[in-house]
Amino acid sequence: MAAPLDTVTWAVALTVLICAILSWGFVSRSRKSNVPVLGSDFLFGYVMAFRLLTHYRQTLLEGYRKHAFQTPGLKGWIVFVSPELYDDVRKSRDDALSMPEEVKSSLALENTIGPVVLHPWHFAVVRKQMTQNLGAKFPEVYDEVLTAFEDELQLPANGDWRPVHAHDLIMSVVCRASQRLFVGLPLCRDPEYNRISRDFSGTVMMGGFLIALFPTFLKPLVGRYFSAAPKAIRGVEKYIVPMIEERWRQERELGDVWNERKPADVTQWFMDSAPEGERDAKDITARILSVNFASTHTTSLSFTHVLYWLAARPEFLPVLREEVAAAVAAHGWTKGALGAMRRVDSFIKECLRVTGIGATAMGRKAMGDVTLSDGTVVPKGATVMLNMWGIHHDPELFPRPDEFDPWRYSRRVEQGKSEVSNALSTASSDFLLWGGGAHVCAGRYFAAQEMKTMLAVIVSEYDVRFDGLEPGVRPKDTWFAFSCIPASNARVLFRRRQTC
Ligand code: HEM
C-alpha cells in the first residue's frame, strides 16, 4: 500500500501551487491599457481587486465620466468602456476580442458542462428553429406558466392572502415554462427532473467560479474533484438519454411517418441538427444543459426583480390589467396579444434597466493587443466590458435615471419613436441586458416572451403586494462583484384577484 504523503511533501506541493497561481496572476496583469486606472494597482492590483468585489457600482458610476478606464480584476486588467465604443466591441471577432475565451476564464464551462461548449453548434438552433417556433409554441408556454403558478401558489379557496417565497416561486415557474419548450410534456412537470435541472445552473456557477480561479493546467483536476457538476449531469442524463434513444428508435422504425409525429421541442431540434458523428444522446443532453444554464437563472433572477417592483408599486396594476385585457380580447392568448402589450413590455424593460441582474455587459478577452477606434488599447489577456451600470443610469440617456418610470419606453413609442428600438427584446448600445454582436443572447425573444407571459398572467389572475414594507420599497438586493441578486428570502403576498 502506498505510504500517505508526509507533511514536507504537502508543504512543497502547496508552495508550488501558490507560486503557480501568483506567477500566473502577475503575468496576466503585467501589461496595462493606456486609459486611466481607477483605484490602486498596489501589489499587482490584488488588494483593489478584492475591494472592488463589494464596490463595483460606485466605481462604474465614477469611471463613466472618464469614458474609458481600467481596474484590476481578480484575473487581470479590466477595461470598461462607454456606449461610444459599443460598436467596436459588438463588431469585433473572436480572434481579436473573444467572448468564448472570456467565458472560459470566468466560468470554465468546459470543465463543468463539458467539451460541447467548445463546439456550440446548438446555439444556432436556439437562434433559428427555437425562435421561429415561438408563435406556434406560445399556447404551450402560456399553459405551462398558468398551470405552474396555480400548482406552486396553492392559494386558499377563501380568497385570503398567502405569503410566498418569491424567488423559489419564480424559479419553479421559469423552470417549468422553459422545460415545456426544451423537453415537452410530461418530463417538464416531473418534480425530481425539475429540481435537478434547476439546481444544475447553481452548481455550474459555483463550480465554474472556483475552477476559474486556478491556472489552466489545474482546471480539469479541480473540475473533476471539487465540482458537483458531474453528479448533476448524471442526474439529468437519467431522464433525457432514454427519451432521446426512444425517439431515435421510433425514427428508425417509422421512417417518414416519424417526421409527421415527432415532437416539436428543443431536444428534437437539436437531434435533427446534430452533425454526422455527433448523434450521441449524452452529447445532446449536455447541449440541453448548456441552454438550461444560459436560461434558468438569468430569466428567474430578472423576473424576480419584476415581481418585486410590482409588489412594491401595486398602483401600476390597473394600467397593466387594462392593457392585458384589451390585448387578449383582440387576439386571444397568443403571441400577437403579447406583441400588443407595450406597457407590459415597458414595465419589464424599465425594471431591468433600473435594477437588472448585473452591472457590466459584453465581456470579451483580448487575444492580442487591440486598439479601439478612439485609441483605447486593450492589451493581450485583458478583458474589455461595457459599463452597463453607468450607461443604464446616464441622465443624458434616461432623464431621472434612478427613478422607476414603468412607462418610460412605451411613452417613447406613443410619442412616435421606433417600436423596435424600445422593445424589451432589442439589444442596443443603451440597453445591454442581452449583450450584443455575434454573441448577443440567442434566447432573448423567448426570454422576453416568457417574462411578458408571466407578468400578464400575474396581473390577470392575482393581487400581489409586500407585507410590512413601506409603499414603494423593495427588499434590498445583494451585490457581489458585477452580479445583482434580488433578495433571495423575501416573501410576496398573493391572493386570487379581487381588485380591478
Ligand atoms: C432574462 C433572461 C436572459 C438574459 C438576461 C440573458 C443574457 C445573455 C447575455 C448577456 C448573453 C451574452 C451576450 C454577449 O456577451 O454579447 C447571453 C448569451 C446567450 N444566451 Fe441568454 N439571457 C437570457 C435568457 C436566455 C434564454 C431563455 C436562452 C435560451 C433559451 C438563452 C440562451 C443564450 C445563449 C445560447 C447564449 C450564447 C450565445 C452565443 O454565444 O452565441 N438566454 N444571454
Side-chain angles (χ1 to χ4, degrees):
M1 203 169 75
L5 293 179
D6 60 26
T7 319
V8 177
T9 316
W10 273 115
V12 171
L14 202 63
T15 311
V16 170
L17 179 64
I18 290 170
C19 289
I21 292 173
L22 287 179
S23 57
W24 163 78
F26 293 163
V27 169
S28 70
R29 47 187 74 228
S30 58
R31 296 184 60 234
K32 284 193 209 135
S33 169
N34 53 351
V35 294
V37 174
L38 265 200
S40 140
D41 57 358
F42 172 67
L43 265 184
F44 291 87
Y46 274 114
V47 177
M48 184 70 191
F50 276 102
R51 204 183 97 79
L52 278 175
L53 288 179
T54 51
H55 289 79
Y56 257 113
R57 270 178 309 159
Q58 296 92 311
T59 310
L60 290 171
L61 286 178
E62 191 187 327
Y64 190 63
R65 286 179 232 118
K66 298 187 194 304
H67 173 72
F69 65 96
Q70 60 189 322
T71 61
L74 281 180
K75 282 167 274 164
W77 285 97
I78 307 176
V79 178
F80 290 99
V81 298
S82 296
E84 303 79 47
L85 294 174
Y86 169 75
D87 275 339
D88 286 52
V89 180
R90 182 175 70 84
K91 290 181 185 161
S92 69
R93 292 167 27 143
D94 282 334
D95 54 6
L97 294 175
S98 170
M99 190 265 204
E101 283 302 318
E102 175 58 21
V103 172
K104 211 169 168 180
S105 71
S106 54
L107 280 174
L109 296 181
E110 71 282 14
N111 299 110
T112 49
I113 295 177
V116 297
V117 298
L118 303 174
H119 180 35
W121 52 258
H122 58 293
F123 289 177
V125 180
V126 172
R127 278 186 208 289
K128 200 162 167 229
Q129 276 101 317
M130 193 185 94
T131 304
Q132 283 170 348
N133 278 286
L134 289 181
K137 298 298 284 182
F138 177 78
E140 289 176 50
V141 173
Y142 167 65
D143 172 60
E144 204 56 46
V145 167
L146 201 63
T147 321
F149 269 120
E150 282 297 296
D151 292 349
E152 296 295 327
L153 283 170
Q154 298 285 332
L155 293 180
N158 63 4
D160 276 358
W161 292 100
R162 189 183 159 225
V164 180
H165 192 284
H167 188 253
D168 283 358
L169 166 74
I170 298 308
M171 184 74 112
S172 299
V173 176
V174 164
C175 208
R176 269 182 55 176
S178 317
Q179 293 304 327
R180 181 81 179 252
L181 187 64
F182 297 171
V183 298
L185 280 170
L187 190 52
C188 70
R189 291 191 186 168
D190 185 299
E192 180 62 7
Y193 169 75
N194 272 331
R195 189 193 57 76
I196 304 173
S197 50
R198 201 173 51 201
D199 293 351
F200 180 75
S201 306
T203 306
V204 166
M205 211 103 89
M206 299 292 285
F209 185 74
L210 175 76
I211 296 166
L213 292 173
F214 286 79
T216 310
F217 71 96
L218 285 174
K219 285 180 180 171
L221 202 72
V222 183
R224 178 176 298 186
Y225 295 107
F226 295 96
S227 149
K231 188 168 166 234
I233 292 175
R234 284 194 300 276
V236 174
E237 280 175 351
K238 199 174 82 189
Y239 292 90
I240 300 188
V241 167
M243 183 177 88
I244 293 176
E245 283 171 349
E246 170 58 17
R247 290 186 188 189
W248 269 328
R249 187 189 66 74
Q250 294 204 45
E251 181 185 304
R252 281 191 305 274
E253 284 178 11
L254 298 174
D256 284 346
V257 178
W258 173 246
N259 284 332
E260 285 146 34
R261 284 195 199 161
K262 68 185 176 188
D265 57 24
V266 169
T267 306
Q268 189 62 45
W269 298 322
F270 283 1
M271 290 168 65
D272 292 346
S273 309
E276 207 52 51
E278 292 193 35
R279 281 168 64 92
D280 173 79
K282 285 193 177 177
D283 182 286
I284 289 177
T285 306
R287 291 177 194 279
I288 293 167
L289 281 171
S290 89
V291 175
N292 232 14
F293 172 71
S295 60
T296 312
H297 274 68
T298 45
T299 312
S300 45
L301 292 176
S302 298
F303 195 78
T304 303
H305 278 305
V306 176
L307 178 59
Y308 285 173
W309 276 115
L310 187 70
R313 307 289 298 271
E315 70 269 25
F316 296 124
L317 266 168
V319 178
L320 292 168
R321 282 177 171 159
E322 197 182 315
E323 181 182 74
V324 172
V328 172
H331 306 274
W333 277 103
T334 57
K335 187 166 171 266
L338 285 193
M341 296 178 196
R342 283 197 198 129
R343 290 196 172 165
V344 169
D345 200 282
S346 180
F347 188 97
I348 300 173
K349 189 164 181 170
E350 177 70 350
C351 293
L352 299 174
R353 180 195 69 79
V354 183
T355 38
I357 57 172
T360 62
M362 295 171 74
R364 309 285 188 257
K365 166 106 46 203
M367 305 308 286
D369 289 355
V370 177
T371 306
L372 304 179
S373 57
D374 69 337
T376 297
V377 175
V378 187
K380 181 176 178 184
T383 296
V384 62
M385 287 182 177
L386 263 290
N387 182 345
M388 179 158 83
W389 192 260
I391 296 169
H392 284 188
H393 295 83
D394 177 345
E396 292 193 5
L397 297 170
F398 305 100
R400 299 182 313 283
D402 297 329
E403 188 181 301
F404 176 66
D405 172 6
W407 323 131
R408 195 184 283 275
Y409 294 99
S410 54
R411 208 169 39 240
R412 289 182 184 176
V413 179
E414 283 154 20
Q415 289 164 352
K417 305 238 169 71
S418 154
E419 183 158 2
V420 173
S421 320
N422 288 292
L424 168 63
S425 55
T426 300
S428 64
S429 62
D430 61 7
F431 188 67
L432 292 156
L433 179 80
W434 314 112
H439 293 288
V440 65
C441 176
R444 68 194 184 284
Y445 294 102
F446 174 57
Q449 172 177 310
E450 200 178 16
M451 291 193 287
K452 286 179 77 172
T453 309
M454 288 194 289
L455 182 55
V457 164
I458 290 177
V459 302
S460 304
E461 303 290 328
Y462 310 108
D463 290 331
V464 291
R465 67 173 168 86
F466 277 120
D467 189 17
L469 285 181
E470 290 289 308
V473 175
R474 286 170 34 121
K476 206 164 177 282
D477 299 327
T478 305
W479 278 89
F480 183 71
F482 309 133
S483 305
C484 171
I485 300 165
S488 55
N489 49 8
R491 283 163 195 268
V492 170
L493 293 177
F494 274 77
R495 74 172 177 196
R496 208 159 288 291
R497 180 176 170 183
Q498 290 170 22
T499 55
C500 305

